[in-house]
Amino acid sequence: MVPGSNTLLRYQKLVDELNAHNHRYHSLDAPVVSDAEYDRLMLELQEIELEYPELRNEDSPTQRVGSLPLSQFSQVTHELPMRSLSNGFSDEDIENFDKRLHKQLELDESQIFDYVAEPKLDGLAVSIFYEEGRLKHAATRGDGKVGEDVTENVRTIRSIPLSLPSGAPRRLEVRGEVFMSHAGFAKLNQDQEEKDKKAFVNPRNAAAGSLRQLDSRLTAQRPLSIFIYAVGVIDDPDFSSSHFEMLQRLKQFGFPVCPIIEQVRGASGCLGYFSKLSELRAKLDYEIDGIVYKLDDLALQQQAGFIAKAPRWALAHKFPAQELTTTVNEIDVQVGRTGAITPVARLEPVFVGGVTVSNVTLHNHSEIQRLGVRVGDTVVVRRAGDVIPQIVSVVEEKRQSNSIAYDFPTECPVCSSVIAVEGDGVIARCTGGLICAAQRKQAIKHFVSRKAMDIDGMGDRIVDMLVDQKMIANVADIYKLDQEQILQLEGFAEKSSEKLLASINASKQTELARLLYALGISQVGETTAEQLATSFGSIDAVIGSNVETLEALPDIGPIVANAIVGFFADQNNLAVIESLFDLGVSYTPVSVVYKDDQDLPLVGKIFVLTGSLDSMARGEAKKQLQALGAKVTGSVSKNTSFVVVGHDAGSKAVKAATLNVPTLDEAALLAILES
Ligand code: IVH
């Protein structure tokens, strides 16, 4: 069949693109696409060549392992080519590989093959040559035929033996993968940061950059590792009869061999190892991107031979891609319950790490600046395991020439109120408060949610409709709804409206902790709400509290205390709470754990602890003081009764002096506690 002109064009484009990617990846250590994207292009090219074999020539990327080496290193021609591996992605691919091998070797499938299953290390391949037991030279893979001479660099890798024990073959070439461990990578990037140098993007790039240093003294300072997984040239025909045995012998000669390699039986054994390693992967200290299965019997390997660039007797079973490139279609901002503005990138959907990702949070303005991301950009998206997907980097080479930098909005997209930037610029907030429909909706959705007032049947869609149709503007309005109104909402009939009214009604009788949580006070989650309920016993007592009384409670610090006081200082909030009670909301009485009127010696006294104590931790002193009825707060004010000053006390001791608050040393504190 003759290919059409569209196919020809596509074919040439793929060849050019893959050649360019090869060069960037193998020679420049500067890839602009993820491995998975590369694999996808390669697969497409292979498919075209399968259909139109006449298109394939020696220059096709499918016929080449890598790209030409840089000219600075001297070139080394491999005595035996360094080949690549064919890839498999599904269980079926592995079963077919096993079947194919049986066919090629003319063996019945009832004869189950032994395979060696090895992690596919994500580093770079090297060949190391020994003669008369001494390391003679080492080379990168290069394009598979010609590599770069990296002898001096490889010599610096501590785990590589420079000489071999007697009994080693006279000429021996071992091949393996140079990589950087996660620990080494983290340490290296920390060093880079301290030296004000650019951080490496990932361990593979760091390993490649480190090995391909013209100055090997620099390489020596980099934490490179290696695992040996094959032999090339060997002048001992009886060295071993199986791949596994060969690895054991190499280990005996002092070569580092990956410790979790296993012998498995048949395709099912391979798949068993694959799922085991899929679990283990996150715990390994090095990156692996799949499993390599190799036919164990070396005689059978030889019989199976090679096809184009790869052996027939081995297969790389790749893990689903954890990183892929896609484009940013839009950057939107979302408005949260408390007005917090979160930018979100809307992506061209990609299947990455086992799920389809179309939205990723950009967290805040500084994250957008750090990434330098713009609408229209090509970005690398990563999702590993259960981790939330994120944008790792922008592929700047692919940026459109007419692209413009992202402008963070200064007005709320929902209510047009001004967006205020708090603190160090990380938090941006809509200042519209309950004027903002987005905040109103979020606040109401939170109020009705299961852990709050638990209004069954009042889902997000219904809240959106109620707010959009102006039937409710705040949480109290929920209790003013009547059946006539609900019937106007899309999807409601007699029965369903009655049901919703019944659950609204049922929610009126609640608990204090739920009600406090439902109000949506910033910083107040379920635990703090529970704490407030059991400490104060009534909503009026909470409303009447102040920063000091709040801070005296265990686990409440100044930020939470100020958020609570700030919430109840707002007249709108108080009005809504009053309406709630007017409309019939009530809570079951709470028995209070801490009471102000307890008959304890330190009731009414407010302590501040600063510096460290010899006899106990500050937390322990706080507990003992509280047990005696005292309140213990974190900041000194004129209302503070005593400041306990331990060793190395800081500004609080100074503040006590300026405010004339009496101070106690540790001995005085102990005297009080013991009295
Ligand atoms: S064997 C003829 N074993 O994967 C087969 N390769 O895609 C030679 N790799 O160039 C390769 N871990 O850089 C083999 N356990 C392993 C491997 C492994 C990683 C790399 C190696 C090779 C590439 C092929």
Side-chain angles (χ1 to χ4, degrees), residues 117 259-264 268-284 288 291 293 317 319:
I260 52 174
I261 289 176
E262 274 179 37
Q263 259 173 322
V264 295
S268 64
C270 292
L271 295 176
Y273 184 85
F274 184 83
S275 48
K276 188 166 94 175
L277 262 283
S278 303
E279 297 275 303
L280 192 65
R281 181 184 187 191
K283 298 196 186 85
L284 295 176
I288 65 174
I291 304 297
Y293 310 122
H317 188 178
F319 291 130

PDB file of all heavy atoms in Angstrom, residues 117 259-264 268-284 288 291 293 317 319:
ATOM      1  N   ALA A 117      13.341 -10.725  36.674  1.00  0.00           N
ATOM      2  CA  ALA A 117      12.612  -9.454  36.723  1.00  0.00           C
ATOM      3  C   ALA A 117      13.469  -8.441  37.468  1.00  0.00           C
ATOM      4  O   ALA A 117      13.903  -8.698  38.593  1.00  0.00           O
ATOM      5  CB  ALA A 117      11.267  -9.650  37.419  1.00  0.00           C
ATOM      6  N   PRO A 259      19.580  -5.059  44.535  1.00  0.00           N
ATOM      7  CA  PRO A 259      19.291  -6.145  45.477  1.00  0.00           C
ATOM      8  C   PRO A 259      17.889  -6.741  45.362  1.00  0.00           C
ATOM      9  O   PRO A 259      17.634  -7.789  45.946  1.00  0.00           O
ATOM     10  CB  PRO A 259      19.481  -5.487  46.844  1.00  0.00           C
ATOM     11  CG  PRO A 259      19.266  -4.035  46.606  1.00  0.00           C
ATOM     12  CD  PRO A 259      19.718  -3.758  45.205  1.00  0.00           C
ATOM     13  N   ILE A 260      16.988  -6.095  44.615  1.00  0.00           N
ATOM     14  CA  ILE A 260      15.624  -6.635  44.609  1.00  0.00           C
ATOM     15  C   ILE A 260      15.285  -7.349  43.299  1.00  0.00           C
ATOM     16  O   ILE A 260      14.120  -7.579  42.982  1.00  0.00           O
ATOM     17  CB  ILE A 260      14.574  -5.553  44.937  1.00  0.00           C
ATOM     18  CG1 ILE A 260      14.755  -4.335  44.018  1.00  0.00           C
ATOM     19  CG2 ILE A 260      14.677  -5.119  46.378  1.00  0.00           C
ATOM     20  CD1 ILE A 260      13.656  -3.291  44.198  1.00  0.00           C
ATOM     21  N   ILE A 261      16.327  -7.717  42.562  1.00  0.00           N
ATOM     22  CA  ILE A 261      16.110  -8.506  41.339  1.00  0.00           C
ATOM     23  C   ILE A 261      15.657  -9.907  41.735  1.00  0.00           C
ATOM     24  O   ILE A 261      16.132 -10.458  42.717  1.00  0.00           O
ATOM     25  CB  ILE A 261      17.427  -8.559  40.536  1.00  0.00           C
ATOM     26  CG1 ILE A 261      17.700  -7.185  39.931  1.00  0.00           C
ATOM     27  CG2 ILE A 261      17.404  -9.648  39.474  1.00  0.00           C
ATOM     28  CD1 ILE A 261      19.019  -7.081  39.192  1.00  0.00           C
ATOM     29  N   GLU A 262      14.709 -10.467  40.967  1.00  0.00           N
ATOM     30  CA  GLU A 262      14.225 -11.810  41.314  1.00  0.00           C
ATOM     31  C   GLU A 262      14.101 -12.699  40.085  1.00  0.00           C
ATOM     32  O   GLU A 262      13.845 -12.204  38.984  1.00  0.00           O
ATOM     33  CB  GLU A 262      12.823 -11.723  41.949  1.00  0.00           C
ATOM     34  CG  GLU A 262      12.846 -11.475  43.437  1.00  0.00           C
ATOM     35  CD  GLU A 262      11.436 -11.372  44.013  1.00  0.00           C
ATOM     36  OE1 GLU A 262      10.538 -12.124  43.556  1.00  0.00           O
ATOM     37  OE2 GLU A 262      11.243 -10.531  44.904  1.00  0.00           O
ATOM     38  N   GLN A 263      14.233 -14.003  40.311  1.00  0.00           N
ATOM     39  CA  GLN A 263      13.919 -14.978  39.264  1.00  0.00           C
ATOM     40  C   GLN A 263      12.429 -15.288  39.388  1.00  0.00           C
ATOM     41  O   GLN A 263      11.956 -15.574  40.499  1.00  0.00           O
ATOM     42  CB  GLN A 263      14.685 -16.274  39.526  1.00  0.00           C
ATOM     43  CG  GLN A 263      15.919 -16.437  38.678  1.00  0.00           C
ATOM     44  CD  GLN A 263      16.735 -17.642  39.100  1.00  0.00           C
ATOM     45  OE1 GLN A 263      16.855 -17.927  40.294  1.00  0.00           O
ATOM     46  NE2 GLN A 263      17.306 -18.337  38.138  1.00  0.00           N
ATOM     47  N   VAL A 264      11.701 -15.215  38.277  1.00  0.00           N
ATOM     48  CA  VAL A 264      10.264 -15.504  38.326  1.00  0.00           C
ATOM     49  C   VAL A 264       9.928 -16.520  37.241  1.00  0.00           C
ATOM     50  O   VAL A 264      10.703 -16.714  36.298  1.00  0.00           O
ATOM     51  CB  VAL A 264       9.421 -14.222  38.126  1.00  0.00           C
ATOM     52  CG1 VAL A 264       9.629 -13.248  39.272  1.00  0.00           C
ATOM     53  CG2 VAL A 264       9.740 -13.548  36.795  1.00  0.00           C
ATOM     54  N   SER A 268       3.022 -14.971  34.288  1.00  0.00           N
ATOM     55  CA  SER A 268       2.301 -14.652  35.524  1.00  0.00           C
ATOM     56  C   SER A 268       3.281 -14.257  36.629  1.00  0.00           C
ATOM     57  O   SER A 268       2.994 -13.369  37.437  1.00  0.00           O
ATOM     58  CB  SER A 268       1.425 -15.823  35.959  1.00  0.00           C
ATOM     59  OG  SER A 268       2.255 -16.922  36.264  1.00  0.00           O
ATOM     60  N   GLY A 269       4.447 -14.907  36.633  1.00  0.00           N
ATOM     61  CA  GLY A 269       5.475 -14.531  37.605  1.00  0.00           C
ATOM     62  C   GLY A 269       5.945 -13.100  37.376  1.00  0.00           C
ATOM     63  O   GLY A 269       6.162 -12.333  38.317  1.00  0.00           O
ATOM     64  N   CYS A 270       6.082 -12.732  36.087  1.00  0.00           N
ATOM     65  CA  CYS A 270       6.495 -11.366  35.744  1.00  0.00           C
ATOM     66  C   CYS A 270       5.472 -10.370  36.273  1.00  0.00           C
ATOM     67  O   CYS A 270       5.812  -9.371  36.907  1.00  0.00           O
ATOM     68  CB  CYS A 270       6.603 -11.210  34.228  1.00  0.00           C
ATOM     69  SG  CYS A 270       7.950 -12.159  33.495  1.00  0.00           S
ATOM     70  N   LEU A 271       4.182 -10.668  36.008  1.00  0.00           N
ATOM     71  CA  LEU A 271       3.127  -9.731  36.407  1.00  0.00           C
ATOM     72  C   LEU A 271       3.022  -9.628  37.925  1.00  0.00           C
ATOM     73  O   LEU A 271       2.730  -8.560  38.472  1.00  0.00           O
ATOM     74  CB  LEU A 271       1.789 -10.142  35.789  1.00  0.00           C
ATOM     75  CG  LEU A 271       1.770 -10.042  34.255  1.00  0.00           C
ATOM     76  CD1 LEU A 271       0.452 -10.546  33.683  1.00  0.00           C
ATOM     77  CD2 LEU A 271       2.026  -8.604  33.801  1.00  0.00           C
ATOM     78  N   GLY A 272       3.276 -10.751  38.604  1.00  0.00           N
ATOM     79  CA  GLY A 272       3.267 -10.735  40.074  1.00  0.00           C
ATOM     80  C   GLY A 272       4.347  -9.792  40.601  1.00  0.00           C
ATOM     81  O   GLY A 272       4.101  -8.977  41.497  1.00  0.00           O
ATOM     82  N   TYR A 273       5.526  -9.880  40.007  1.00  0.00           N
ATOM     83  CA  TYR A 273       6.634  -9.010  40.428  1.00  0.00           C
ATOM     84  C   TYR A 273       6.285  -7.553  40.134  1.00  0.00           C
ATOM     85  O   TYR A 273       6.551  -6.660  40.933  1.00  0.00           O
ATOM     86  CB  TYR A 273       7.907  -9.412  39.682  1.00  0.00           C
ATOM     87  CG  TYR A 273       9.143  -8.648  40.114  1.00  0.00           C
ATOM     88  CD1 TYR A 273       9.902  -9.056  41.214  1.00  0.00           C
ATOM     89  CD2 TYR A 273       9.558  -7.515  39.416  1.00  0.00           C
ATOM     90  CE1 TYR A 273      11.031  -8.359  41.608  1.00  0.00           C
ATOM     91  CE2 TYR A 273      10.685  -6.808  39.801  1.00  0.00           C
ATOM     92  CZ  TYR A 273      11.421  -7.238  40.896  1.00  0.00           C
ATOM     93  OH  TYR A 273      12.539  -6.540  41.281  1.00  0.00           O
ATOM     94  N   PHE A 274       5.647  -7.349  38.970  1.00  0.00           N
ATOM     95  CA  PHE A 274       5.275  -5.982  38.571  1.00  0.00           C
ATOM     96  C   PHE A 274       4.351  -5.347  39.618  1.00  0.00           C
ATOM     97  O   PHE A 274       4.557  -4.208  40.036  1.00  0.00           O
ATOM     98  CB  PHE A 274       4.577  -6.000  37.206  1.00  0.00           C
ATOM     99  CG  PHE A 274       4.242  -4.636  36.660  1.00  0.00           C
ATOM    100  CD1 PHE A 274       5.198  -3.894  35.987  1.00  0.00           C
ATOM    101  CD2 PHE A 274       2.974  -4.099  36.818  1.00  0.00           C
ATOM    102  CE1 PHE A 274       4.903  -2.636  35.480  1.00  0.00           C
ATOM    103  CE2 PHE A 274       2.669  -2.841  36.323  1.00  0.00           C
ATOM    104  CZ  PHE A 274       3.635  -2.113  35.648  1.00  0.00           C
ATOM    105  N   SER A 275       3.321  -6.117  40.064  1.00  0.00           N
ATOM    106  CA  SER A 275       2.402  -5.475  41.018  1.00  0.00           C
ATOM    107  C   SER A 275       3.076  -5.298  42.374  1.00  0.00           C
ATOM    108  O   SER A 275       2.835  -4.302  43.062  1.00  0.00           O
ATOM    109  CB  SER A 275       1.057  -6.196  41.130  1.00  0.00           C
ATOM    110  OG  SER A 275       1.256  -7.552  41.294  1.00  0.00           O
ATOM    111  N   LYS A 276       3.964  -6.220  42.728  1.00  0.00           N
ATOM    112  CA  LYS A 276       4.685  -6.059  43.993  1.00  0.00           C
ATOM    113  C   LYS A 276       5.530  -4.779  43.964  1.00  0.00           C
ATOM    114  O   LYS A 276       5.512  -3.987  44.896  1.00  0.00           O
ATOM    115  CB  LYS A 276       5.583  -7.286  44.216  1.00  0.00           C
ATOM    116  CG  LYS A 276       6.242  -7.316  45.577  1.00  0.00           C
ATOM    117  CD  LYS A 276       6.836  -8.668  45.892  1.00  0.00           C
ATOM    118  CE  LYS A 276       8.302  -8.699  45.515  1.00  0.00           C
ATOM    119  NZ  LYS A 276       8.956  -9.954  45.910  1.00  0.00           N
ATOM    120  N   LEU A 277       6.217  -4.583  42.842  1.00  0.00           N
ATOM    121  CA  LEU A 277       7.097  -3.407  42.747  1.00  0.00           C
ATOM    122  C   LEU A 277       6.308  -2.101  42.591  1.00  0.00           C
ATOM    123  O   LEU A 277       6.779  -1.039  43.008  1.00  0.00           O
ATOM    124  CB  LEU A 277       8.087  -3.577  41.585  1.00  0.00           C
ATOM    125  CG  LEU A 277       9.473  -4.080  41.953  1.00  0.00           C
ATOM    126  CD1 LEU A 277      10.318  -2.963  42.560  1.00  0.00           C
ATOM    127  CD2 LEU A 277       9.426  -5.242  42.944  1.00  0.00           C
ATOM    128  N   SER A 278       5.094  -2.211  41.996  1.00  0.00           N
ATOM    129  CA  SER A 278       4.284  -1.004  41.878  1.00  0.00           C
ATOM    130  C   SER A 278       4.007  -0.441  43.274  1.00  0.00           C
ATOM    131  O   SER A 278       3.948   0.767  43.464  1.00  0.00           O
ATOM    132  CB  SER A 278       2.953  -1.294  41.183  1.00  0.00           C
ATOM    133  OG  SER A 278       3.195  -1.849  39.923  1.00  0.00           O
ATOM    134  N   GLU A 279       3.817  -1.357  44.229  1.00  0.00           N
ATOM    135  CA  GLU A 279       3.571  -0.954  45.615  1.00  0.00           C
ATOM    136  C   GLU A 279       4.847  -0.422  46.258  1.00  0.00           C
ATOM    137  O   GLU A 279       4.838   0.575  46.960  1.00  0.00           O
ATOM    138  CB  GLU A 279       3.127  -2.174  46.444  1.00  0.00           C
ATOM    139  CG  GLU A 279       1.842  -2.793  46.001  1.00  0.00           C
ATOM    140  CD  GLU A 279       0.657  -2.086  46.608  1.00  0.00           C
ATOM    141  OE1 GLU A 279       0.602  -2.012  47.846  1.00  0.00           O
ATOM    142  OE2 GLU A 279      -0.192  -1.591  45.821  1.00  0.00           O
ATOM    143  N   LEU A 280       5.922  -1.145  46.017  1.00  0.00           N
ATOM    144  CA  LEU A 280       7.194  -0.855  46.689  1.00  0.00           C
ATOM    145  C   LEU A 280       7.855   0.416  46.159  1.00  0.00           C
ATOM    146  O   LEU A 280       8.633   1.073  46.850  1.00  0.00           O
ATOM    147  CB  LEU A 280       8.134  -2.055  46.474  1.00  0.00           C
ATOM    148  CG  LEU A 280       9.405  -2.115  47.316  1.00  0.00           C
ATOM    149  CD1 LEU A 280       9.046  -2.286  48.788  1.00  0.00           C
ATOM    150  CD2 LEU A 280      10.292  -3.279  46.869  1.00  0.00           C
ATOM    151  N   ARG A 281       7.498   0.740  44.930  1.00  0.00           N
ATOM    152  CA  ARG A 281       8.170   1.822  44.201  1.00  0.00           C
ATOM    153  C   ARG A 281       8.347   3.105  45.011  1.00  0.00           C
ATOM    154  O   ARG A 281       9.441   3.682  45.058  1.00  0.00           O
ATOM    155  CB  ARG A 281       7.350   2.135  42.945  1.00  0.00           C
ATOM    156  CG  ARG A 281       7.924   3.195  42.086  1.00  0.00           C
ATOM    157  CD  ARG A 281       6.985   3.464  40.941  1.00  0.00           C
ATOM    158  NE  ARG A 281       7.565   4.374  39.973  1.00  0.00           N
ATOM    159  CZ  ARG A 281       6.886   4.932  38.997  1.00  0.00           C
ATOM    160  NH1 ARG A 281       5.603   4.649  38.844  1.00  0.00           N
ATOM    161  NH2 ARG A 281       7.473   5.759  38.166  1.00  0.00           N
ATOM    162  N   ALA A 282       7.248   3.528  45.674  1.00  0.00           N
ATOM    163  CA  ALA A 282       7.309   4.799  46.395  1.00  0.00           C
ATOM    164  C   ALA A 282       8.299   4.735  47.556  1.00  0.00           C
ATOM    165  O   ALA A 282       8.768   5.768  48.028  1.00  0.00           O
ATOM    166  CB  ALA A 282       5.921   5.152  46.904  1.00  0.00           C
ATOM    167  N   LYS A 283       8.592   3.521  48.022  1.00  0.00           N
ATOM    168  CA  LYS A 283       9.482   3.403  49.185  1.00  0.00           C
ATOM    169  C   LYS A 283      10.947   3.265  48.789  1.00  0.00           C
ATOM    170  O   LYS A 283      11.828   3.339  49.636  1.00  0.00           O
ATOM    171  CB  LYS A 283       9.070   2.183  50.026  1.00  0.00           C
ATOM    172  CG  LYS A 283       7.675   2.269  50.582  1.00  0.00           C
ATOM    173  CD  LYS A 283       7.456   1.263  51.707  1.00  0.00           C
ATOM    174  CE  LYS A 283       6.018   1.257  52.172  1.00  0.00           C
ATOM    175  NZ  LYS A 283       5.158   0.369  51.342  1.00  0.00           N
ATOM    176  N   LEU A 284      11.209   3.034  47.497  1.00  0.00           N
ATOM    177  CA  LEU A 284      12.604   2.870  47.071  1.00  0.00           C
ATOM    178  C   LEU A 284      13.324   4.214  47.115  1.00  0.00           C
ATOM    179  O   LEU A 284      12.705   5.256  46.922  1.00  0.00           O
ATOM    180  CB  LEU A 284      12.661   2.326  45.637  1.00  0.00           C
ATOM    181  CG  LEU A 284      12.120   0.923  45.412  1.00  0.00           C
ATOM    182  CD1 LEU A 284      12.151   0.586  43.928  1.00  0.00           C
ATOM    183  CD2 LEU A 284      12.933  -0.091  46.211  1.00  0.00           C
ATOM    184  N   ILE A 288      12.471   4.401  39.564  1.00  0.00           N
ATOM    185  CA  ILE A 288      12.388   3.360  38.539  1.00  0.00           C
ATOM    186  C   ILE A 288      11.161   3.679  37.697  1.00  0.00           C
ATOM    187  O   ILE A 288      10.195   4.234  38.201  1.00  0.00           O
ATOM    188  CB  ILE A 288      12.318   1.936  39.135  1.00  0.00           C
ATOM    189  CG1 ILE A 288      11.032   1.705  39.928  1.00  0.00           C
ATOM    190  CG2 ILE A 288      13.521   1.669  40.019  1.00  0.00           C
ATOM    191  CD1 ILE A 288      10.876   0.261  40.407  1.00  0.00           C
ATOM    192  N   ILE A 291       9.582  -2.257  34.899  1.00  0.00           N
ATOM    193  CA  ILE A 291      10.281  -3.499  35.225  1.00  0.00           C
ATOM    194  C   ILE A 291      10.827  -4.069  33.915  1.00  0.00           C
ATOM    195  O   ILE A 291      10.156  -4.001  32.888  1.00  0.00           O
ATOM    196  CB  ILE A 291       9.308  -4.531  35.845  1.00  0.00           C
ATOM    197  CG1 ILE A 291       8.609  -3.954  37.085  1.00  0.00           C
ATOM    198  CG2 ILE A 291      10.032  -5.835  36.190  1.00  0.00           C
ATOM    199  CD1 ILE A 291       9.526  -3.600  38.232  1.00  0.00           C
ATOM    200  N   TYR A 293      11.938  -7.510  32.071  1.00  0.00           N
ATOM    201  CA  TYR A 293      11.924  -8.975  32.145  1.00  0.00           C
ATOM    202  C   TYR A 293      12.946  -9.493  31.153  1.00  0.00           C
ATOM    203  O   TYR A 293      12.962  -9.076  29.988  1.00  0.00           O
ATOM    204  CB  TYR A 293      10.551  -9.534  31.779  1.00  0.00           C
ATOM    205  CG  TYR A 293       9.402  -8.874  32.510  1.00  0.00           C
ATOM    206  CD1 TYR A 293       8.376  -8.252  31.798  1.00  0.00           C
ATOM    207  CD2 TYR A 293       9.346  -8.873  33.907  1.00  0.00           C
ATOM    208  CE1 TYR A 293       7.320  -7.646  32.454  1.00  0.00           C
ATOM    209  CE2 TYR A 293       8.292  -8.263  34.573  1.00  0.00           C
ATOM    210  CZ  TYR A 293       7.287  -7.644  33.844  1.00  0.00           C
ATOM    211  OH  TYR A 293       6.240  -7.030  34.488  1.00  0.00           O
ATOM    212  N   HIS A 317       8.556  -3.323  30.904  1.00  0.00           N
ATOM    213  CA  HIS A 317       7.139  -3.111  31.244  1.00  0.00           C
ATOM    214  C   HIS A 317       7.057  -1.779  31.984  1.00  0.00           C
ATOM    215  O   HIS A 317       7.481  -1.688  33.133  1.00  0.00           O
ATOM    216  CB  HIS A 317       6.682  -4.278  32.136  1.00  0.00           C
ATOM    217  CG  HIS A 317       5.212  -4.300  32.413  1.00  0.00           C
ATOM    218  ND1 HIS A 317       4.609  -5.294  33.162  1.00  0.00           N
ATOM    219  CD2 HIS A 317       4.210  -3.471  32.047  1.00  0.00           C
ATOM    220  CE1 HIS A 317       3.312  -5.060  33.235  1.00  0.00           C
ATOM    221  NE2 HIS A 317       3.055  -3.967  32.576  1.00  0.00           N
ATOM    222  N   PHE A 319       5.710   1.557  33.910  1.00  0.00           N
ATOM    223  CA  PHE A 319       4.645   2.005  34.816  1.00  0.00           C
ATOM    224  C   PHE A 319       3.853   3.085  34.094  1.00  0.00           C
ATOM    225  O   PHE A 319       4.407   3.781  33.231  1.00  0.00           O
ATOM    226  CB  PHE A 319       5.240   2.615  36.086  1.00  0.00           C
ATOM    227  CG  PHE A 319       5.913   1.617  36.988  1.00  0.00           C
ATOM    228  CD1 PHE A 319       7.191   1.859  37.469  1.00  0.00           C
ATOM    229  CD2 PHE A 319       5.272   0.454  37.368  1.00  0.00           C
ATOM    230  CE1 PHE A 319       7.821   0.951  38.310  1.00  0.00           C
ATOM    231  CE2 PHE A 319       5.891  -0.463  38.198  1.00  0.00           C
ATOM    232  CZ  PHE A 319       7.169  -0.215  38.673  1.00  0.00           C
TER     233      PHE A 319
END
